[in-house]
Amino acid sequence: MARIISMKDAVNEALDQEMTRDPTVIMMGEDIVGGAGAQGEDDAWGGVLGVSKGLYAKHPNQMIDTPLSESAYVGAAVGAATAGLRPVAELMFVDFIGVCLDQVFNQAAKFRYMFGGKAQTPVVIRAMCGAGFRAAAQHSQMLTPLFTHLPGLKVVCPSNAYDCKGLLIQSIRDNDPVIFLEHKNLYASTCDVPEEPYAIPFGEANIVREGSDATIVTYGQMVGRSVEAAEMLKKEGIEVEVIDLRTLSPIDMDTVLESVEATGRLICVDEASPRCSIAADISANVAQDAFDALKAPIQMVTPPHAPVPFSPSLEDLYVPSAERIAAAVRKTMEN
Amino acid sequence: MSEITPILMPKWGLSMREGKLAAWHVDEGATIAAGDEIMDVETDKIANVVEAADAGLLRRRVGVEGEMYPVRALLGVMAPESVSDAEIDAYVAAYETPSAGGDEDEAGPAYQFADLPAGRIRYAERPGEGVPLLLIHGFGGDLDNWLFNIDALAEGASVYALDLPGHGQSVKSARPAGLDLMVDTVLAFLDHIGADKAHLAGHSMGGLVAGAVAVKAPERVASVTLICSAGLGEEINAGYIDGFVAATGRKDLKPVLLHLFKDQGLVSRSMVEDLLKFKRLDGVQEFLTELAGNLFRDGRQARQIAQALAASGVPTQVIWGEADAIIPPAHAGALSGAKVSVIPNAGHMVQMEQAAEVNRLIRDFIA
């Protein structure tokens, strides 16, 4: 491979290829078309950050700009999914899930179970997540644990452009409702991405970096920072394994347990709020299933239990840094 | 200064940016012949021994064992006795490593694509003189299986390596997935590069393809080198073929890949990940399933070439890894008239595990 593209372009390419492959794949959301068709290209935003730019020209019958009503169009997407389409609804910021949560957790997530497996709801809800974008408390949350708490939903949060394309294609082809969270700070990150379509199966964590002394388990934006921390620690003679969960429901606990059994040390890094978080969930599972393997208490690295600050200096302190991650690893090495 | 010959960190494949100088095999003051094993280099993908590209007297080991260096960093200096230490000091001080991933010249030649009747085919080219050499990978492989061969072989001839249909970055929709498709694609590729005649070297299933091309069009084939080749006997490791086709994740693929190497430590996380990236591409699963069904069903090889190839009159050689766990090394003797070499300390991927020896055998054979 040798084609380097950004995560934003990877999302665009996945949507483009899936809408081309399957005419039942449709997109709906606020400003995803963004006035294309009106005078002037400047008007065609393709979503708030231009992720779907250019797609309307290729797939005019598969994209709908909706009114500013999440409760209406997310509900419509769920309904369309039960009726045979494969809608991809864009929620702009995941922080807006509150106004349409019933459609997601009490409807989409329950249909397969309540109709005895006879109903399928192949809907994808894409949304931007995460802090570090100077977007304040109402546009910067992770909210990943909110979704993993609910049986019947699949939850995906990629850390790089390659995974993003393959996981989004898998999300669209999957027959269950998928919450697909794109960290807005990663849109500009680049890596090798094959032009051909490909799907990455759910529930398979990626071992980003191998190491024998400690295991960092993380996802999303924190993967890059954990690798950065691991590079710092390498200079101190500490070899850290970094596991990118890729999908939070289903979750690949096998890979986590196997690694912790080898290293004996676990550091969970999560950008979500600390209480009932992904970090807390992994920690509890490892404490239950691999306690004997642990050489030191498990460490969790998360933001404080507070809204995301708008002040840039405070926001930078809020999001876990490579230094904080490295400090937590060093703490496990004291034992 | 022109008497000074640098030894540089090699570049194995497009994605390599840096490598670790794991060990030196030569001391300062040693006289090196081209092809001598001079050092071990490790990347995140693979470890291998580096052969000297040039002959000379090793005056200075610049690279330190255990350290990481960017591609084309200066690792050593060769120069005759007449060059003073001061001149070597000046050369080392003045050497600037070309930036990695910069313009195309520095990043190494990019892959190319050819639109053939079967569809789009990816290939790599190393220009040179005379009758070209075409390298054909095996089942589930791609042109990067020749990572340690293509540059070394290019010193003697122009060299091409392609991705067969259904493999690498070549077309996945071509059908039926079988030997005829591969043979026709190789012949169409020779047309594409304007080669009336070529030397063919094929690994595993690629050997079967190379042999079948020689049988079908002997006038187009100057010689055939079969490496751990299919088509020379019935047995093949069914667990490997079926396991490779069925694997969808790291946990089921890695144990299968261990069969490929004598030194199983060579199967790195990154090698497994690269193969998963290939297997996840749309159409690959279907293609490999059909191909395995047509060629290697139930641990038996459906197509045999030994007799017809021996009768074709094309010069042949057979190379095998002594510890091959995929196709039995006993098959090496099946092709009458062939020059046979069985190489110790190598498994099925002998062209990677003992690259220097395989390169030498191919160079000598086609010379």
Side-chain angles (χ1 to χ4, degrees):
Chain A
M1 283 182 296
R3 192 190 60 138
I4 303 222
I5 66 169
S6 69
M7 186 160 119
K8 188 166 105 173
D9 291 339
V11 174
N12 185 288
E13 189 168 272
L15 292 166
D16 187 13
Q17 289 178 340
E18 285 304 282
M19 283 196 284
T20 303
R21 183 189 61 85
D22 181 354
T24 70
V25 175
I26 61 160
M27 287 182 67
M28 44 208 306
E30 296 164 0
D31 279 342
I32 58 169
V33 176
Q39 290 293 309
E41 218 264 334
D42 282 346
D43 222 10
W45 283 107
V48 65
L49 294 183
V51 171
S52 51
K53 197 172 179 62
L55 294 182
Y56 182 74
K58 295 187 203 169
H59 312 282
N61 299 319
Q62 288 163 269
M63 293 179 69
I64 306 166
D65 249 356
T66 65
L68 303 187
S69 172
E70 288 82 5
S71 50
Y73 76 80
V74 169
V78 171
T82 62
L85 295 179
R86 292 190 175 269
V88 180
E90 181 180 306
L91 193 55
M92 211 176 266
F93 296 94
V94 73
D95 312 70
F96 305 162
I97 192 72
V99 294
C100 54
L101 193 55
D102 182 74
Q103 290 83 329
V104 177
F105 92 94
N106 229 5
Q107 309 303 327
K110 301 291 193 289
F111 288 158
R112 177 200 276 277
Y113 179 79
M114 293 187 73
F115 296 114
K118 289 181 182 161
Q120 289 184 343
T121 315
V123 66
V124 181
I125 297 173
R126 286 180 47 237
M128 280 189 274
C129 70
F133 207 67
R134 314 303 185 220
Q138 296 162 318
H139 302 80
S140 300
Q141 298 167 87
M142 287 299 288
L143 300 186
T144 36
L146 196 69
F147 301 109
T148 56
H149 185 66
L150 300 165
L153 293 182
K154 292 176 177 171
V155 185
V156 182
C157 188
S159 70
N160 62 75
Y162 172 82
D163 285 358
C164 189
K165 179 175 170 183
L167 290 167
L168 182 52
I169 287 177
Q170 177 60 37
S171 299
I172 292 168
R173 296 176 186 180
D174 200 278
N175 285 332
D176 289 313
V178 177
I179 308 292
F180 193 89
L181 297 170
E182 300 159 18
H183 201 296
K184 45 180 113 49
N185 262 20
L186 295 176
Y187 273 148
S189 71
T190 58
C191 68
D192 282 356
V193 179
E195 207 164 338
E196 292 171 81
Y198 58 95
I200 299 178
F202 288 166
E204 171 138 340
N206 186 25
I207 300 174
V208 182
R209 190 183 187 288
E210 288 177 310
S212 52
D213 295 324
T215 302
I216 293 178
V217 178
T218 186
Y219 64 96
Q221 180 180 223
M222 292 297 105
V223 172
R225 296 204 182 176
S226 297
V227 169
E228 212 182 303
E231 296 298 334
M232 289 161 55
L233 292 161
K234 184 184 167 70
K235 295 186 184 118
E236 300 164 27
I238 302 171
E239 289 294 341
V240 181
E241 186 140 299
V242 178
I243 296 177
D244 176 359
L245 291 168
R246 280 184 177 147
T247 66
L248 307 172
S249 277
I251 192 161
D252 183 1
M253 279 307 297
D254 286 351
T255 294
V256 173
L257 289 167
E258 221 170 88
S259 175
V260 172
E261 273 158 18
T263 64
R265 298 181 180 87
L266 174 64
I267 302 90
C268 298
V269 183
D270 192 354
E271 197 190 318
S273 300
R275 299 290 316 283
C276 304
S277 62
I278 307 299
D281 184 39
I282 300 272
S283 302
N285 275 290
V286 169
Q288 177 175 280
D289 295 333
F291 188 80
D292 291 343
L294 290 171
K295 296 173 186 161
I298 298 167
Q299 296 296 314
M300 290 193 275
V301 184
T302 69
H305 197 60
V308 181
F310 183 46
S311 150
S313 53
L314 287 179
E315 188 181 24
D316 290 343
L317 283 174
Y318 171 95
V319 181
S321 63
E323 287 75 18
R324 273 185 62 202
I325 297 167
V329 175
R330 282 186 207 107
K331 199 164 174 196
T332 67
M333 298 301 293
E334 288 166 9
N335 292 61
Chain B
M1 284 293 191
S2 60
E3 286 182 293
I4 292 182
T5 309
I7 295 174
L8 306 181
M9 174 60 70
K11 182 167 176 63
W12 293 327
L14 272 184
S15 63
M16 180 170 167
R17 295 277 175 270
E18 58 177 12
K20 181 163 105 179
L21 173 58
W24 277 105
H25 293 313
V26 281
D27 293 317
E28 288 181 0
T31 303
I32 295 169
D36 279 1
E37 300 185 354
I38 52 172
M39 56 194 178
D40 288 338
V41 165
E42 294 173 15
T43 73
D44 59 345
K45 292 192 196 300
I46 197 146
N48 208 332
V49 65
V50 176
E51 299 169 64
D54 309 286
L57 175 67
L58 182 62
R59 294 289 298 277
R60 189 70 54 83
R61 299 202 317 199
V62 180
V64 178
E65 290 185 352
E67 292 292 313
M68 297 291 294
Y69 294 95
V71 162
R72 303 215 166 88
L74 183 67
L75 300 180
V77 177
M78 293 191 297
E81 306 245 15
S82 56
V83 176
S84 72
D85 281 345
E87 282 175 275
I88 289 174
D89 288 342
Y91 181 87
V92 172
Y95 184 84
E96 279 182 41
T97 304
S99 65
D103 66 48
E104 195 163 289
D105 277 357
E106 287 169 0
Y111 301 127
Q112 301 180 58
F113 290 88
D115 288 310
L116 306 182
R120 205 150 192 250
I121 295 295
R122 181 181 70 151
Y123 68 98
E125 178 186 7
R126 300 288 186 275
E129 301 289 310
V131 179
L133 167 66
L134 174 61
L135 306 171
I136 307 171
H137 64 78
F139 180 81
D142 67 18
L143 55 81
D144 277 335
N145 291 168
W146 307 102
L147 211 55
F148 303 132
N149 314 104
I150 186 163
D151 289 314
L153 294 170
E155 287 159 29
S158 60
V159 184
Y160 295 83
L162 52 57
D163 287 342
L164 290 169
H167 290 76
Q169 291 179 30
S170 288
V171 56
K172 310 299 184 307
S173 57
R175 288 295 188 278
L179 184 57
D180 292 349
L181 173 67
M182 306 299 177
V183 169
D184 292 345
T185 300
V186 169
L187 287 168
F189 181 75
L190 294 181
D191 294 341
H192 176 83
I193 60 172
D196 298 333
K197 215 172 172 117
H199 298 282
L200 304 180
H203 173 244
S204 195
M205 180 192 76
L208 170 66
V209 174
V213 169
V215 169
K216 183 169 181 180
E219 73 286 357
R220 308 279 312 260
V221 181
S223 77
V224 176
T225 296
L226 303 178
I227 304 169
C228 300
S229 184
L232 301 178
E234 278 222 334
E235 304 90 343
I236 189 164
N237 183 335
Y240 173 77
I241 297 287
D242 298 345
F244 185 87
V245 172
T248 58
R250 189 178 57 247
K251 289 184 203 71
D252 42 354
L253 185 58
K254 184 163 181 180
V256 173
L257 298 181
L258 295 178
H259 291 297
L260 289 172
F261 294 90
K262 168 93 181 340
D263 175 7
Q264 302 194 333
L266 291 173
V267 180
S268 64
R269 177 195 62 84
S270 160
M271 182 188 295
V272 177
E273 189 54 36
D274 281 354
L275 271 165
L276 282 175
K277 284 181 175 176
F278 158 65
K279 292 206 76 215
R280 287 176 190 136
L281 295 172
D282 275 9
V284 167
Q285 193 63 29
E286 295 79 357
F287 189 94
L288 291 181
T289 303
E290 187 180 322
L291 185 61
N294 283 333
L295 292 181
F296 308 122
R297 190 183 297 280
D298 302 326
R300 313 304 291 177
Q301 299 187 40
R303 304 294 290 263
Q304 300 297 325
I305 45 159
Q307 272 191 324
L309 182 55
S312 72
V314 175
T316 53
Q317 79 163 330
V318 175
I319 300 172
W320 227 284
E322 194 179 49
D324 189 343
I326 309 294
I327 304 179
H331 292 192
L335 185 60
S336 65
K339 172 178 187 279
V340 178
S341 310
V342 178
I343 299 178
N345 284 319
H348 193 61
M349 302 303 284
V350 60
Q351 82 278 30
M352 298 183 103
E353 281 189 283
Q354 296 296 337
E357 183 63 11
V358 171
N359 293 339
R360 189 185 62 76
L361 288 168
I362 296 176
R363 270 193 305 248
D364 290 353
F365 191 66
I366 67 177

